[in-house]
Amino acid sequence: MKINIIGAGLAGVEAAWYLANNGVQVKLYEQKPVKYSPAHSSEGFAELVCSNSFRSNELSNAVGVLKAEMALFGSIVIEAARATEVPAGGALAVDRDLFSDYITKKIKAHENIEMIYGEVTAINPDELTIIASGPLTSDSLAKEIARVLGQDYFYFFDAAAPIISKESIDMNKVYLKSRYDKGEAAYLNCPMTRDEFFNFYDELIKAECAEQKEFEQNVFEGCMPIEVMAKRGMKTMLFGPLKPVGLETPDGTKPYAVVQLRQDNASASLYNLVGFQTHLKWPEQKRVFSLIPGLENVEIVRYGVMHRNSYINAPTLLTCANEYKENPNIMFAGQITGVEGYAESASSGILTAVQALRKLHGQEVIKFPHETAMGALNHYITHASAKNFQPMNVTFGIMKDLDYKAPKKEKKQIYANRALETMEEFINESLK
């Protein structure tokens, strides 16, 4: 049994890992280090370009449920994340370099995975292939996918936040705390007075952005650049990444606004500015972010950047198995399908691999239960309105609704319990 997988990002490595562990000979194609996208810089697999956070660990959050479901399938991404975790309160954040190294070594060492380096420019329609090339698919491969599908990609623009050195932070002005003291105190908090916030806001909305083409105005709402957010009004920031609620200073003072810094590597020498995705010119990032208390002498080791995220019109093109409807040999996984987020992309790789394995064994593909996080996300991308299709994070709102009403907090727990019980039953009864 053989399969081709294009792309060694989060979805690609998950698909390769699952299939290889089930006896399939995998050819895993990766263009790095022969060629890099505008946002990638490391040779390693599963490189995290934007944040280093996989978001909430809590089962009261749908992404926490999704990660728990992934673990039931032996997810290499969740395994690597747990092994390289850094403090982040109630979230799962990782040292991005150690995370990538962990996965790269595991994938390269697997006897059933053959690595093939270089850009893929042609897809064989007669060979079972999973396209997991991600939102930064190279131009040549994008053209080939468009040719195979007979239509162009959709796209939005995404942005990454700056990473700064800890030694450049004035530790006398910041304090360690997680919001509402939830979980371990894991964030460095930069408190702002009203005057400091207004000054920062005024300079931010006046700051010069890197040159953009007209079509680059299509920004994903879930990863909006901080300067775009600011131009929608200062309250947008105060209810967003600069929200001060639950972040009182050690002496009990309530700041007017707070900028949070999250640990970015295991040695705690690097931090990223939470929610500060940006497309400002690099000198402007240095100038404006130096106005944040505690960051007056900030050293930015990786500046924020913006890049194109491409995805296909999944509702018109894909079956529930992430197969191309016109040729089931061609399958898709990851963010290119229209899921949004690290965990979502990786889980898509698992789901597609499960379906590919069934096909290789001559079995029919099978729908993942709508009650589960993985199944709900897959149902969304294959059943959403094709006309207004937008990338989607996992939420309880896309899961199959309950047959009865319950208080909000209790309802989340019911959704979580139902999802995990249903997934365990699905694996034991339908996938064995």
Side-chain angles (χ1 to χ4, degrees):
M1 297 186 295
K2 297 180 180 180
I3 192 168
N4 304 315
I5 298 177
I6 302 174
L10 293 168
V13 297
E14 284 284 26
W17 188 250
Y18 182 87
L19 289 164
N21 285 336
N22 281 278
V24 178
Q25 297 297 312
V26 176
K27 285 187 176 181
L28 180 56
Y29 294 80
E30 171 54 46
Q31 70 171 12
K32 299 188 305 181
V34 178
K35 183 175 182 178
Y36 287 85
S37 78
H40 288 99
S41 59
S42 160
E43 291 187 12
F45 306 156
E47 181 181 355
L48 303 182
V49 170
C50 295
S51 169
N52 70 320
S53 174
F54 283 80
R55 312 197 320 275
S56 178
N57 260 328
E58 307 295 329
L59 293 182
S60 58
N61 189 300
V63 76
V65 177
L66 181 65
K67 292 197 286 287
E69 290 180 6
M70 292 167 62
L72 295 176
F73 287 89
S75 164
I76 189 173
V77 165
I78 298 303
E79 178 185 322
R82 299 297 181 199
T84 61
E85 188 172 0
V86 298
L92 174 60
V94 302
D95 179 312
R96 67 182 80 215
D97 292 328
L98 294 179
F99 171 80
S100 177
D101 288 345
Y102 184 101
I103 290 177
T104 303
K105 289 174 183 176
K106 286 265 189 175
I107 293 293
K108 285 184 174 181
H110 203 296
E111 61 182 3
N112 288 337
I113 300 176
E114 176 188 357
M115 289 305 309
I116 301 173
Y117 297 99
E119 183 180 13
V120 175
T121 58
I123 299 167
N124 187 334
D126 299 322
E127 294 182 357
L128 186 59
T129 300
I130 296 175
I131 300 172
S133 51
L136 294 165
T137 298
S138 70
D139 289 344
S140 295
L141 179 55
K143 289 178 182 177
E144 173 65 359
I145 295 172
R147 184 193 67 78
V148 170
L149 300 178
Q151 61 176 257
D152 292 332
Y153 281 114
F154 291 127
Y155 61 85
F156 61 89
F157 277 78
D158 206 349
I163 297 175
I164 66 176
S165 69
K166 182 181 180 181
E167 64 180 17
S168 70
I169 302 170
D170 185 344
M171 301 302 290
N172 294 316
K173 294 186 178 181
V174 305
Y175 56 99
L176 191 65
K177 183 182 177 73
S178 291
R179 198 178 302 275
Y180 304 113
D181 293 316
K182 188 175 182 180
E184 180 184 359
Y187 293 80
L188 291 179
N189 297 277
C190 307
M192 287 183 169
T193 64
R194 185 180 185 279
D195 288 345
E196 288 169 336
F197 172 76
F198 272 68
N199 182 46
F200 171 74
Y201 173 79
D202 288 341
E203 293 302 319
L204 179 59
I205 60 174
K206 291 188 298 186
E208 191 175 359
C209 290
E211 184 178 353
Q212 291 178 273
K213 297 180 175 64
E214 183 178 349
F215 61 81
E216 292 183 345
Q217 305 303 318
N218 183 18
V219 178
F220 178 53
E221 291 287 324
C223 202
M224 189 187 304
I226 190 69
E227 61 274 9
V228 175
M229 188 181 300
K231 288 173 183 177
R232 293 188 177 186
M234 61 177 65
K235 285 189 176 180
T236 308
M237 298 169 65
L238 291 173
F239 283 93
L242 277 79
K243 181 170 67 175
V245 180
L247 293 173
E248 294 80 7
T249 64
D251 65 5
T253 302
K254 295 181 179 179
Y256 190 82
V258 175
V259 175
Q260 290 198 296
L261 310 176
R262 181 174 54 229
Q263 186 175 326
D264 202 81
N265 62 350
S267 62
S269 62
L270 300 176
Y271 279 75
N272 62 69
L273 280 69
V274 178
F276 269 62
Q277 298 86 0
T278 184
H279 193 44
L280 294 179
K281 287 187 173 182
W282 289 7
E284 291 288 75
Q285 291 184 39
K286 171 76 171 177
R287 180 183 69 81
V288 176
F289 298 154
S290 294
L291 298 173
I292 298 170
L295 304 188
E296 291 85 354
N297 297 305
V298 67
E299 178 191 5
I300 301 177
V301 299
R302 191 201 72 180
Y303 285 87
V305 294
M306 181 174 273
H307 51 85
R308 186 180 70 184
N309 275 1
S310 299
Y311 60 102
I312 63 175
N313 191 343
T316 64
L317 297 171
L318 301 185
T319 70
C320 69
N322 285 346
E323 305 165 303
Y324 175 39
K325 291 177 181 178
E326 300 299 321
N327 181 356
N329 280 334
I330 307 300
M331 306 180 76
F332 288 85
Q335 204 163 335
I336 197 171
T337 67
V339 300
E340 171 62 26
Y342 291 155
E344 289 87 342
S345 297
S347 71
S348 173
I350 295 173
L351 183 145
T352 305
V354 168
Q355 306 288 16
L357 184 64
R358 294 182 68 84
K359 289 156 67 78
L360 287 167
H361 282 300
Q363 300 172 311
E364 291 187 1
V365 297
I366 186 170
K367 283 188 178 181
F368 274 54
H370 198 174
E371 294 85 352
T372 66
M374 289 175 68
L377 195 59
N378 178 253
H379 182 270
Y380 174 84
I381 66 167
T382 53
H383 290 80
S385 168
K387 183 178 179 180
N388 300 303
F389 185 52
Q390 290 275 336
M392 173 60 74
N393 291 113
V394 67
T395 69
F396 287 123
I398 64 173
M399 292 186 187
K400 186 175 182 180
D401 204 2
L402 300 176
D403 296 329
Y404 56 91
K405 293 185 178 180
K408 186 176 180 181
K409 187 174 182 180
E410 181 183 338
K411 193 173 184 179
K412 289 181 178 180
Q413 192 60 54
I414 295 170
Y415 272 127
N417 292 341
R418 183 185 67 170
L420 294 176
E421 290 170 4
T422 302
M423 185 60 85
E424 288 182 352
E425 181 179 327
F426 176 69
I427 292 171
N428 292 331
E429 296 185 4
S430 301
L431 301 183
K432 294 295 185 183

